[in-house]
Amino acid sequence: MGFQPFSNVEIDRFASAYPSVPSHLGHQIASHPLLELDALAELARRIRTESIEFNAATDLPLGITNEETPHTGPDVHETIAQIETSGSWVLLKTIDQDPAYAQLMRDVLAELEPVVHPRTGAMMRLEGFVFISSPRAVTPLHFDPEYNILFQARGSKTMTFYDSAESRIISDEFFEQYFAGGPRNLPWQREWAERSQPIAITPGEAVYVPILNPHSVQVHDEVSISLSLTWRSEWSFHHADACRFNGRLRKLGLNPASPQRYPADNRLKSYSERALARAERMFARN
């Protein structure tokens, strides 16, 4: 590896936060050539069409639904070329389908593996994403089903976290709908801002985003480029399956107990869901 993405101090800071606490970190990949706008514009031409999302992103309310989010007129390539003025947000998903970006992802996450593995087990389903955003772009309130570190490469933004223990922000029913294929954008209530934790990042800074933690993002007054590297754990897959199983029970008129929070285990419900899903697939084939 031709660079060291983290200093020892930053590794220690990550270790003090992982897996449950949002944390501000430093990094040394902001000037990496793969994160320059021209390189990302070329990447957008190489990756699969279904790996690209883009939409209008300025002046959006924090609680806007996925369906309500407006689209921009130009195609993604014009949107990137005009990102300073287009008022847009571009997401390049699973950039690890490209060998150079896959290597960058592996090199960076390998530095964190000695911290991650003893706590949440093997780093599973590694994926990389890039966000290219116009000045003042907004990412509405949502959560992610992965552990995530967001690296700022250009411009600046503020990521605001909300109390993930607050059941009114993410209800059991919302989790169940999401893991059954529903949207991840969350409804918004103004009083949640009183218990929020904003973390601002500039080039050379990053933020660790705990799994399932509700957050929103506000880009500052310049074009922003951010790299998001994510991973899953065995616990995260069991949690997702437990949510799906609870959704089955709720449809039967039952009121199931919430899935256990880390580090408690959700294996019983998870294995039950997997068995039922397997039986349904077998029945559908016959």
Side-chain angles (χ1 to χ4, degrees):
M1 185 168 59
F3 65 96
Q4 290 296 120
F6 304 102
S7 68
N8 291 336
V9 170
E10 301 303 333
I11 294 291
D12 290 343
R13 184 173 288 125
F14 173 70
S16 69
Y18 187 77
S20 301
V21 181
S23 181
H24 183 277
L25 304 170
H27 67 86
Q28 300 174 40
I29 62 172
S31 60
H32 197 289
L34 291 179
L35 300 181
E36 295 177 357
L37 187 59
D38 289 346
L40 295 171
E42 289 302 314
L43 176 66
R45 298 184 183 279
R46 297 197 301 271
I47 61 176
R48 297 184 294 268
T49 301
E50 60 268 25
S51 298
I52 300 173
E53 292 182 23
F54 62 105
N55 53 252
T58 54
D59 300 319
L60 297 183
L62 291 181
I64 193 170
T65 66
N66 299 72
E67 294 78 13
E68 294 169 335
T69 303
H71 295 281
T72 52
D75 66 20
V76 66
H77 307 297
E78 293 175 5
T79 299
I80 294 174
Q82 301 168 13
I83 197 64
E84 290 190 16
T85 57
S86 62
S88 301
W89 171 91
V90 176
L91 170 59
L92 306 181
K93 300 186 290 187
T94 57
I95 60 171
D96 44 287
Q97 63 192 267
D98 182 276
Y101 287 89
Q103 188 63 55
L104 174 62
M105 177 189 71
R106 289 192 296 267
D107 287 345
V108 173
L109 292 183
E111 294 288 297
L112 302 178
E113 196 274 342
V115 173
V116 170
H117 192 278
R119 301 189 187 180
T120 56
M123 300 175 80
M124 306 167 72
R125 195 177 290 178
L126 310 184
E127 292 183 316
F129 306 82
V130 166
F131 299 89
I132 307 169
S133 308
S134 295
R136 309 305 301 170
V138 173
T139 303
L141 181 64
H142 68 288
F143 72 92
D144 299 312
E146 315 95 353
Y147 310 86
N148 173 22
I149 295 185
L150 186 77
F151 299 84
Q152 194 68 10
R154 174 176 171 179
S156 60
K157 59 175 53 171
T158 295
M159 180 175 286
T160 302
F161 294 90
Y162 304 87
D163 184 2
S164 60
E166 174 54 72
S167 61
R168 289 178 299 170
I169 294 182
I170 311 181
S171 66
D172 286 351
E173 291 87 348
F174 194 96
F175 274 133
E176 292 160 17
Q177 294 166 9
Y178 170 77
F179 286 112
R184 77 174 63 180
N185 281 11
L186 293 156
W188 167 252
Q189 294 185 27
R190 187 177 298 275
E191 59 266 27
W192 293 341
E194 298 174 1
R195 299 186 298 278
S196 64
Q197 177 189 357
I199 298 178
I201 52 175
T202 60
E205 298 178 324
V207 58
Y208 166 62
V209 185
I211 189 170
L212 307 179
N213 193 303
H215 57 278
S216 60
V217 183
Q218 172 72 67
V219 173
H220 298 172
D221 294 329
E222 300 176 353
V223 169
S224 170
I225 295 176
S226 305
L227 169 69
S228 173
L229 299 182
T230 72
W231 64 96
R232 298 285 297 272
S233 67
E234 186 177 17
W235 180 91
S236 77
F237 289 116
H238 286 310
H239 172 270
D241 284 330
C243 290
R244 296 185 185 101
F245 185 74
N246 277 358
R248 293 178 184 269
L249 297 181
R250 203 174 302 278
K251 288 178 181 178
L252 296 174
L254 302 175
N255 185 25
S258 302
Q260 297 289 316
R261 292 182 176 271
Y262 179 85
D265 197 271
N266 293 293
R267 290 174 184 267
L268 180 59
K269 286 184 176 180
S270 174
Y271 290 146
S272 298
E273 168 62 25
R274 294 178 190 185
L276 288 170
R278 189 180 306 112
E280 288 173 345
R281 290 193 296 269
M282 293 177 62
F283 180 81
R285 289 197 296 265
N286 296 330

